[in-house]
C-alpha cells in the first residue's frame, strides 16, 4: 500500500502532466488537434483512476454518485449544444471548473477544522483563501458571461455609480479576510465571508463587460479557472494540479493578450468597460453630412457575382445568430462552380469567442485552407472584385484607421473598403455591438443587402442557381 | 507543509507557467476556440482534489462539499473534452 502512495500515484500523475502538455502542444495544428485532445483526456482519465487508490479515500459511494451525475450532465450538455452556442457553453463549463475549485478549498478547510491545522498555518490558509477567491470569482463570473451570451442577462455595458471603487473595496475586504483567516484559522465565518464576497465580486467584474468584449472576458475567466486549480494544488500539496492549473492559467493569459492586441486595447480598458461611451462619437460621423446608402436586391446581386472572379467573404456575429453558415457554404460552392475564387477573411475577434467563425465555417464543411487570418489576407482586398460582409460591423469599420476620435481608433481591421465592391448583409442600419456608426455603409463602392443573413444568402443562392 | 516542499511547489508552478506561455504562442487563430475549450477541460483537474475531499468520510460537511465538487468538476471534464472533440471533428481537410 505504501508503494502505491509514494511511487505509483506520483508517477501516474507525472504521466498525466506529460499528456496534458503534449495535448496542448498538438492542439496547435488542425492536423493533430484531435489526437491532442484525446491525449489530454487520457491524462485526465489516468489521473482520476489512480486518485481512487489514494489511501485517504475511504468512502466511494459519494464519489461514484457524483461522477455519474456529473458525467450525465456533461454528456448531455456537450452533445446537445449548437455550434453557434459554443461560446456560452465553454463559459458555463468554465464556471463549473472554478466552482469545483472553490468547493474543494472549502471542503479542505473543514477537514482541517476537524483534524486541526498545522503549527504554521500561513501557507495552507493563504492557499485555501486563494482557491476560494479565484474559484468563486470564476464561478459567478462565468455564469454571468453565460447569461450575457445566452441573452438571459443584458449584453450591454452595465455601468453603476462607484463601480470601480466598490470593486477595489471588495478586493481589500477579501485580502483583509485572508489575513484574519491566517491569524484565526478556526473562525469559519471568515472563510464563509470570503466566499460570499468573492461570489459577488465575480458578478460585479463581468456585468460591466459588453458583448463585444466577451471573447476577452471568457478567455480571462478560463485563465482564472486554471489558476483556481493551481491554488487547489497548493492546498492539497499536489504537483499535477499545479502543473495543469499553471498551463491553463498561462495559456488563458496569452490568449487574452492576443485578443486585446487584435482590438488594440489594453486589458484594463476592457475590464473597466472601454467602449461604454461610444455613442457620442457615433453621432459625429453620421449627422451633418447628408449620407445615403445604396441597397441592392438578390437578383442584381446574383448578376454581380456571376461576373466576379475573386470574392472574399467576411463573416461576423450576424452570420452566427442567423445560423447562416450552411447557406454561406452553399454560396461558396455555387461561386466556385462558376470558376470564382472564394476565400474567407477572419478577424481575430469576430464573433463572441476567438476563432468562433472558424468553428461555424468548419461545421458547414468549409475547408480550413480557405480561411485566412487578418494579416494574411489584408493586402489582397485591393485585388478583390467583391467582398461580402455578413453580419460583421466593427471589424470592418474604416473609422479604426482614419478617425482618431473613434473609440475603436487603432484597432486592426479588415480592409474591405479597398475592394472594388463591398456588399454588406445586414438586417438594418443599426450599429454593431460597439455601438459605433460605420462609414463603410455610406461609401461609393458599398451596397447594402438588407435581410436576415440566412434568408438573404438563401435568396442569393436561389438566384445563382436560376442563372446556372 | 514544510517550507522546502512549498518552495518546490512554487518552482513547479513557475516552470509550468512558462511551458504554458510557450505552447500557446504558436497556436493559429483557427484553433483558438477548441484550444480554449480543451484547456478549460484540463482545468477540471481540480477533480482530483474533489475526489479526495468527497471520499474522506470523516467530516460530513467536507463530504457534501466534496460531493458537489465532484459533480461540478466532472461536468467540466466530461463536457469539456466532448465538446472540444465535437469541434475538432469538423476541422477536416477537403
Amino acid at each position: 500500500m505504501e508503494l502505491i502512495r509514494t511511487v505509483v500515484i506520483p508517477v501516474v500523475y507525472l504521466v498525466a502532466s506529460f499528456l496534458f502538455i503534449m495535448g496542448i502542444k498538438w492542439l496547435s495544428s488542425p492536423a493533430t488537434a484531435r489526437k491532442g485532445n484525446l491525449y489530454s483526456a487520457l491524462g485526465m482519465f489516468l489521473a482520476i483512476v489512480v486518485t481512487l487508490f489514494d489511501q485517504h479515500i475511504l468512502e466511494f459511494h459519494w464519489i461514484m454518485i457524483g461522477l455519474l451525475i456529473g458525467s450525465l450532465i456533461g454528456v448531455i450538455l456537450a452533445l446537445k449544444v449548437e455550434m453557434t452556442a459554443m461560446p456560452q457553453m465553454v463559459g458555463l463549463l468554465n464556471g463549473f471548473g472554478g466552482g469545483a475549485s472553490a468547493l474543494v478549498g472549502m471542503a479542505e478547510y473543514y477537514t482541517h477544522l476537524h483534524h486541526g491545522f498545522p503549527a504554521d498555518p500561513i501557507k495552507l490558509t493563504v492557499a485555501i483563501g486563494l482557491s476560494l477567491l479565484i474559484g468563486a470569482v470564476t464561478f459567478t463570473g462565468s455564469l454571468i458571461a453565460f447569461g450575457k451570451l445566452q441573452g438571459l442577462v443584458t449584453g450591454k455595458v452595465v455601468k453603476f455609480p462607484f463601480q470601480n471603487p466598490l470593486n477595489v473595496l471588495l478586493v481589500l475586504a477579501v485580502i483583509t479576510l485572508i489575513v484574519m483567516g491566517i491569524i484565526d484559522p478556526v473562525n469559519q465565518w471568515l472563510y464563509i465571508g470570503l466566499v460570499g464576497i468573492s461570489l459577488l465580486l465575480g458578478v460585479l467584474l463581468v456585468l460591466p463587460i459588453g458583448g463585444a468584449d466577451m471573447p476577452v472576458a471568457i478567455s480571462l475567466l478560463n485563465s482564472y479557472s486554471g489558476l483556481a486549480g493551481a491554488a487547489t494544488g497548493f492546498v492539497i500539496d499536489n504537483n499535477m494540479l499545479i502543473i495543469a492549473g499553471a498551463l491553463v492559467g498561462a495559456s488563458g493569459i496569452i490568449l487574452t493578450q492576443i485578443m486585446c492586441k487584435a482590438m488594440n486595447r489594453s486589458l484594463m480598458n476592457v475590464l473597466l468597460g472601454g467602449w461604454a461611451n461610444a455613442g457620442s462619437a457615433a453621432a459625429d460621423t453620421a449627422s451633418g453630412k447628408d449620407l445615403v446608402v445604396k441597397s441592392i436586391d438578390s437578383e442584381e446581386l446574383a448578376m454581380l457575382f456571376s461576373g466576379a472572379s475573386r470574392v472574399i467573404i467576411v463573416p461576423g456575429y450576424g452570420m452566427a445568430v442567423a445560423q447562416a453558415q450552411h447557406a454561406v457554404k452553399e454560396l461558396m460552392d455555387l461561386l466556385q462552380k462558376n470558376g470564382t475564387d472564394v476565400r474567407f477573411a477572419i478577424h481575430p475577434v469576430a464573433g463572441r469567442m476567438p476563432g468562433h467563425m472558424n468553428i461555424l465555417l468548419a461545421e458547414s464543411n468549409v475547408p480550413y485552407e480557405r480561411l485566412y487570418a487578418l494579416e494574411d489576407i489584408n493586402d489582397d482586398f485591393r485585388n478583390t472584385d467583391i467582398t461580402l460582409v455578413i453580419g460583421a460591423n466593427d471589424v470592418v469599420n474604416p473609422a479604426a484607421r482614419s478617425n482618431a476620435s473613434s473609440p475603436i481608433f487603432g484597432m486592426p481591421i479588415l480592409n474591405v473598403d479597398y475592394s472594388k465592391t463591398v456588399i454588406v448583409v445586414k438586417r438594418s442600419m443599426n450599429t454593431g455591438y460597439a455601438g459605433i456608426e460605420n462609414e463603410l455603409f455610406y461609401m461609393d463602392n458599398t451596397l447594402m443587402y438588407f435581410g436576415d443573413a440566412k434568408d438573404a444568402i438563401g435568396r442569393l443562392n436561389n438566384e445563382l442557381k436560376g442563372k446556372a | 507543509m514544510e517550507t522546502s516542499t512549498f518552495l518546490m511547489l512554487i518552482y513547479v508552478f513557475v516552470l509550468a507557467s512558462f511551458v504554458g506561455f510557450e505552447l500557446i504562442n504558436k497556436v493559429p487563430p483557427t484553433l483558438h476556440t477548441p484550444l480554449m475549450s480543451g484547456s478549460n477541460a484540463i482545468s477540471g483537474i481540480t477533480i482530483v482534489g474533489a475526489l479526495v475531499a468527497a471520499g474522506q468520510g470523516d467530516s460530513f460537511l467536507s463530504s457534501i462539499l466534496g460531493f458537489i465538487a465532484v459533480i461540478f468538476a466532472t461536468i467540466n471534464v466530461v463536457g469539456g473534452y466532448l465538446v472540444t472533440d465535437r469541434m475538432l471533428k469538423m476541422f477536416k481537410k477537403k
Side-chain angles (χ1 to χ4, degrees), chain A residues 198-312:
Chain A
S198 304
L199 290 172
L200 179 65
L201 199 58
V203 174
L204 293 181
L205 285 176
V206 179
L207 205 56
I209 300 177
D213 286 332
M214 255 325 131
V216 181
I218 291 192
S219 170
L220 194 65
L221 287 166
N222 188 36
S223 174
Y224 287 172
S225 75
L227 294 178
T232 309
F234 279 97
V235 174
I236 64 170
D237 188 5
N238 184 312
N239 276 326
M240 182 188 53
L241 254 72
I242 295 176
I243 294 175
L247 282 175
V248 178
S251 70
I253 294 275
I254 286 279
L255 267 183
T256 309
Q257 216 171 17
I258 291 174
M259 275 179 277
C260 282
K261 224 180 272 173
M263 298 195 293
N264 189 39
R265 297 170 61 201
S266 69
L267 185 57
M268 257 344 229
N269 188 262
V270 173
L271 296 182
L272 301 179
W275 281 339
N277 34 27
S280 56
D284 301 347
T285 31
S287 64
K289 286 174 260 176
D290 200 14
L291 294 168
V292 268
V293 296
K294 290 173 297 235
S295 71
I296 189 169
D297 65 23
S298 53
E299 198 185 333
E300 290 171 284
L301 195 55
M303 272 159 59
L304 215 56
F305 267 112
S306 43
S309 57
R310 268 186 294 271
V311 169
I312 296 179

Side-chain angles (χ1 to χ4, degrees), chain A residues 27-28 34 37 40 58-59 78 81 90 93-94 97 101 107 111 114-115 123 222 225 248 250-251 254 354 369, chain B residues 3 6 9 12 17 21 24 28 30-31 33 36 39-40 43 46 55-56 58 62 67 76 81 85-86 89 93:
Chain A
L27 270 172
S28 60
R34 213 176 158 202
N37 191 51
S40 164
L58 308 168
E59 285 184 15
V81 64
V90 173
L93 292 173
N94 202 24
S101 289
T111 304
H114 202 248
H115 288 283
K123 281 162 275 189
N222 188 36
S225 75
V248 178
S251 70
I254 286 279
E369 297 91 346
Chain B
T3 301
F6 184 71
L9 294 179
V12 169
S17 301
F21 279 121
I24 303 308
T30 304
L31 286 168
T33 295
M36 195 182 272
S39 67
N40 181 16
S43 76
T46 200
Q56 269 165 352
D58 52 11
S62 291
F67 171 66
N76 188 198
Y81 281 117
D85 190 60
R86 256 187 79 192
K89 244 195 282 190
K93 268 201 159 112

Side-chain angles (χ1 to χ4, degrees), chain B residues 1 4-7 29 32 46 57 82:
Chain B
M1 197 189 304
S4 59
T5 319
F6 184 71
L7 277 178
H32 278 171
T46 200
L82 269 181

Side-chain angles (χ1 to χ4, degrees), chain A residues 134-458:
Chain A
I134 310 174
V137 166
T138 309
F139 180 60
T140 48
S142 298
L143 288 187
I144 295 291
F146 167 78
K148 277 186 173 253
L149 292 168
Q150 189 73 20
L152 302 171
V153 180
T154 172
K156 292 204 177 72
V157 174
V158 178
K159 287 259 165 190
F160 45 89
F162 306 114
Q163 188 170 331
N164 294 324
L166 178 64
N167 289 342
V168 172
L169 205 71
L170 289 176
V171 172
L172 289 177
V174 168
I175 295 172
T176 312
L177 283 173
I178 292 180
V179 173
M180 288 167 73
I182 297 169
I183 300 165
D184 183 16
V186 290
N187 184 352
Q188 57 172 315
W189 293 106
L190 294 176
Y191 293 84
I192 293 171
L194 177 56
V195 172
I197 296 177
S198 304
L199 290 172
L200 179 65
L201 199 58
V203 174
L204 293 181
L205 285 176
V206 179
L207 205 56
I209 300 177
D213 286 332
M214 255 325 131
V216 181
I218 291 192
S219 170
L220 194 65
L221 287 166
N222 188 36
S223 174
Y224 287 172
S225 75
L227 294 178
T232 309
F234 279 97
V235 174
I236 64 170
D237 188 5
N238 184 312
N239 276 326
M240 182 188 53
L241 254 72
I242 295 176
I243 294 175
L247 282 175
V248 178
S251 70
I253 294 275
I254 286 279
L255 267 183
T256 309
Q257 216 171 17
I258 291 174
M259 275 179 277
C260 282
K261 224 180 272 173
M263 298 195 293
N264 189 39
R265 297 170 61 201
S266 69
L267 185 57
M268 257 344 229
N269 188 262
V270 173
L271 296 182
L272 301 179
W275 281 339
N277 34 27
S280 56
D284 301 347
T285 31
S287 64
K289 286 174 260 176
D290 200 14
L291 294 168
V292 268
V293 296
K294 290 173 297 235
S295 71
I296 189 169
D297 65 23
S298 53
E299 198 185 333
E300 290 171 284
L301 195 55
M303 272 159 59
L304 215 56
F305 267 112
S306 43
S309 57
R310 268 186 294 271
V311 169
I312 296 179
I313 299 177
V314 179
Y317 189 62
M319 183 188 84
V321 279
Q323 304 244 26
Q325 64 270 30
H326 299 286
V328 171
K329 163 71 161 82
E330 194 189 356
L331 173 65
M332 179 184 99
D333 291 340
L334 288 166
L335 292 175
Q336 280 182 333
K337 215 161 67 187
N338 199 22
T340 312
D341 176 61
V342 183
R343 289 182 293 170
F344 288 82
I346 317 275
H347 191 280
V349 292
R352 290 296 171 268
M353 202 172 172
H356 189 192
M357 292 301 128
N358 305 71
I359 294 291
L360 295 181
L361 293 171
E363 186 201 8
S364 61
N365 286 320
V366 174
Y368 62 77
E369 297 91 346
R370 292 274 108 199
L371 313 181
Y372 289 80
L374 180 133
E375 58 269 27
D376 298 327
I377 203 165
N378 236 358
D379 294 332
D380 294 353
F381 282 106
R382 283 176 202 284
N383 314 316
T384 302
D385 299 312
I386 300 179
T387 297
L388 181 66
V389 178
I390 307 173
N393 272 299
D394 305 319
V395 298
V396 295
N397 191 341
R401 275 196 317 259
S402 57
N403 182 359
S405 68
S406 169
I408 60 165
F409 183 68
M411 166 174 142
I413 52 156
L414 291 163
N415 295 325
V416 302
D417 50 324
Y418 292 168
S419 55
K420 288 180 191 118
T421 305
V422 183
I423 311 288
V424 179
V425 181
K426 223 170 141 15
R427 271 186 301 197
S428 68
M429 288 305 290
N430 285 342
T431 54
Y433 250 105
I436 304 160
E437 192 64 56
N438 195 337
E439 286 169 50
L440 175 73
F441 305 156
Y442 306 98
M443 289 184 152
D444 291 336
N445 55 341
T446 301
L447 297 165
M448 302 299 292
Y449 178 39
F450 289 110
D452 165 85
K454 189 176 178 177
D455 238 48
I457 302 296

